[in-house]
Amino acid sequence: MSDTKTGPVITKPKDPELLAKLGRKLVEYEKRVEKAQGMRHPELAYMIDHHYRDALFKSTVLREVLTRGEVKTYDLSLELAKQYKSFDVDRFDNACAVIATYCGQLDIETHGGTGLK
């Protein structure tokens, strides 16, 4: 994960096996978003459910990495803060750290969750 003047940048790995794992992880996160949202409106789900925010941010960051090739985390945080009135910085930072770890760019131990199989 490289740092720019506007924060860390997470880049897409080149390893095909890792990319396949990340693709499966994105599907898992998207299913979590759907489950946590349930029958609620997305804005309501965001306001009341930290599991929804967690899955939403992880899926958003990972999707951006896989489709754009990189994520400028600060820029993405600004976009999300415009979209969600009570932007959860801690959950977003955690999502970025987890995705950077899965991409092999950060060496931290993740806790909980299903990990990257």
Side-chain angles (χ1 to χ4, degrees):
M1 182 162 61
S2 62
D3 286 319
T4 67
K5 290 181 181 181
T6 59
V9 176
I10 305 170
T11 56
K12 183 178 177 179
K14 297 186 185 325
D15 177 16
E17 186 176 325
L18 179 54
L19 288 171
K21 288 179 181 181
L22 291 170
R24 290 190 296 272
K25 193 66 176 178
L26 178 58
V27 170
E28 178 186 329
Y29 286 143
E30 289 172 341
K31 286 180 182 178
R32 286 187 202 175
V33 168
E34 289 176 22
K35 181 179 179 185
Q37 182 178 338
M39 300 298 287
R40 300 182 199 113
H41 186 277
E43 288 181 32
L44 179 59
Y46 181 87
M47 294 296 291
I48 64 173
D49 190 343
H50 70 275
H51 295 294
Y52 177 79
R53 290 189 301 274
D54 184 64
L56 176 70
F57 289 151
K58 287 175 182 172
S59 66
T60 300
V61 172
L62 184 52
R63 186 178 320 102
E64 292 292 307
V65 167
L66 294 176
T67 58
R68 292 187 183 182
E70 71 175 20
V71 168
K72 295 177 181 174
T73 58
Y74 180 75
D75 293 345
L76 182 57
S77 73
L78 293 177
E79 289 177 34
L80 292 170
K82 287 178 188 175
Q83 187 174 355
Y84 299 102
K85 294 174 186 170
S86 59
F87 181 62
D88 190 335
V89 175
D90 292 335
R91 295 261 177 220
F92 179 77
D93 285 349
N94 179 67
C96 290
V98 168
I99 300 306
T101 299
Y102 289 167
C103 289
Q105 296 173 251
L106 191 61
D107 188 21
I108 62 168
E109 187 175 327
T110 58
H111 301 284
T114 58
L116 185 64
K117 300 172 187 168

